[in-house]
Amino acid sequence: MIGVFALQGAFIEHEHMLSELGEPWKEIRRREHFTDGLDGLILPGGESTVQGKLLKEEGLFLPVKAAIEGGMPVFGTCAGMILLAKKRANDPNSYFDVLGVTVTRNAYGRQLGSFRTDLAVKGIGQFPAVFIRAPYADRAEEGVEVLAETGGKIVAARQKNVLATAFHPELTSDLRFHAYFAEMVRRWQSTTTN
Ligand code: GLN
């Protein structure tokens, strides 16, 4: 069962993608929703400062951080990537800090920063990427696998159980990113049930 963080932002689109893939999911809004039976978590796009604040207010922040550090797969898109990054160039707050990159919020400009481009994604292939007031990342630490770059900046990356995109695969009809994440979840399930 994959949890979808559903307090703010574009979470419904992720739920549609998981349903299309036949993956069971549930919404995570409060502490009691984040139970032991979860095999993965999606952090959607939205407003990272608001999401970070809500996660902390709902008492979800520490248990989710512990689960990620324990190896549970997590997939963050856009604001979700900002919450996962170890450093933020233009936000002094601290969040999950598990993906060894530095992100810059609203890196393409605040209002005109939305665009679509085809990206070559390692392990997936050409992918239609939708950017909405997106961050980009740079300064990848050792251990970070850069999955896609554009304009010399990192826009998709993985570090072990942590997958992140600056863009929104859930706003396309292309299921391959979610299928890639579902495969990470399956591998994790097989290590935890054996
Ligand atoms: N600009 C937003 C932030 O900084 C992220 C935008 C998005 O998730 N589409 O949190």
Side-chain angles (χ1 to χ4, degrees):
M1 173 83 68
I2 295 174
V4 181
F5 175 60
L7 273 168
Q8 199 270 339
F11 52 87
I12 290 167
E13 291 80 356
H14 282 289
E15 295 168 1
H16 290 162
M17 299 301 256
L18 295 174
S19 295
E20 290 259 326
L21 287 168
E23 291 293 330
W25 54 267
K26 74 181 251 196
E27 291 188 347
I28 309 296
R29 295 173 191 270
R30 291 196 301 277
R31 173 67 190 93
E32 60 266 33
H33 301 154
F34 192 70
T35 48
D36 287 345
L38 285 179
D39 307 299
L41 180 68
I42 290 184
L43 300 173
E47 183 57 41
S48 55
T49 51
V50 176
Q51 293 183 356
K53 191 166 168 279
L54 289 170
L55 277 160
K56 288 173 187 173
E57 281 173 9
E58 295 297 328
L60 276 161
F61 181 74
L62 290 176
V64 169
K65 184 168 166 62
I68 298 170
E69 286 171 354
M72 185 190 74
V74 60
F75 178 19
T77 59
C78 202
M81 182 189 215
I82 295 168
L83 296 180
L84 292 170
K86 279 199 183 163
K87 290 192 189 128
R88 281 146 294 276
N90 50 357
D91 176 358
N93 292 302
S94 160
Y95 304 110
F96 295 120
D97 302 348
V98 287
L99 177 65
V101 294
T102 299
V103 290
T104 300
R105 293 182 61 205
N106 300 314
Y108 299 96
R110 262 189 180 272
Q111 296 305 328
L112 302 171
S114 301
F115 59 97
R116 210 185 165 105
T117 187
D118 264 352
L119 287 178
V121 181
K122 200 171 155 189
I124 290 182
Q126 286 298 116
F127 196 89
V130 177
F131 291 77
I132 303 172
R133 297 182 46 219
Y136 61 53
D138 53 15
R139 280 170 271 166
E141 285 176 4
E142 212 181 302
V144 174
E145 189 183 4
V146 174
L147 300 180
E149 285 180 295
T150 185
K153 300 295 183 183
I154 301 163
V155 290
R158 176 174 175 183
Q159 187 167 15
K160 293 188 190 140
N161 56 316
V162 178
L163 177 67
T165 59
F167 51 91
H168 294 267
E170 76 284 7
L171 298 183
T172 70
S173 54
D174 195 318
L175 294 168
R176 286 175 297 162
F177 247 102
H178 289 74
Y180 180 101
F181 180 62
E183 181 58 29
M184 286 168 62
V185 168
R186 243 180 302 287
R187 283 173 192 233
W188 166 246
Q189 282 169 327
S190 68
T191 61
T192 49
T193 50
N194 285 340

